[in-house]
Amino acid sequence: MASQTLVIIVVSALLVFWAVGAYNRLVRLKNTIANAFGQIDVQLKRRYDLIPNLVEAAKKYLQHERDTLEAVTNARNHARTASDAVRSRPANAAAVLTLSAAEQALSGALGGLFALAEAYPELKADQTVRDLSEELASTENKVAFSRQAYNDAVLDYNNAQSQFPALLVARLFGFAPSVMLRATESAAERQTIRIQM
């Protein structure tokens, strides 16, 4: 009887140590997602700060295109709000999906602004606008690199929380799957924006 009790105690202790290890691994992977989003967040903030300057520089040339400028400003504000929501919950799938949609809308609004610039040679030639467009393109590249690191962290986390037997711990403690950030535009679209400006 004593040996049977000892075996039960040893097996129970091993299960508890394994569960603690699995829980700690999931927490570490979730924190890695938060860290990876922090890198994206820095670049998104920079991007959001550049956009009002670009809109202001374009205003003097695009006085009759107020709707386009307002669309860019509104899309930027919406994307910034969505980014703030993800900052507080970087592994939350709903918040990340909202940010992806907001970034898509912002990218479309900026694309409209850059396409409109083609009709205004003075705007296209303005050094401030060109500098801001170049900084924006550089920031977009940094966002793309950071997004890749974030998506890698999400993949590691999702794999860990969905594999048996760790998924038992994940379900017990509410570790839900996260989602990856989609690219805001294709490489071809980014190239088109760079060529336009």
Side-chain angles (χ1 to χ4, degrees), residues 69-87:
L69 297 174
E70 286 177 3
V72 170
T73 301
N74 291 337
R76 176 244 185 212
N77 293 340
H78 184 66
R80 184 174 217 154
T81 300
S83 178
D84 291 344
V86 175
R87 186 178 313 115

Side-chain angles (χ1 to χ4, degrees), residues 9 13-14 37 42 50 62 77 85 92 100 119 121 131 138 150 154 171 179 181 184 194 197:
I9 290 172
L14 288 174
F37 183 76
V42 167
L50 288 171
L62 301 176
N77 293 340
N92 182 283
S100 289
D131 290 346
S138 171
Y150 175 85
V154 168
R171 288 193 180 155
V179 294
L181 274 173
T184 55
R194 270 190 228 107
M197 295 310 280

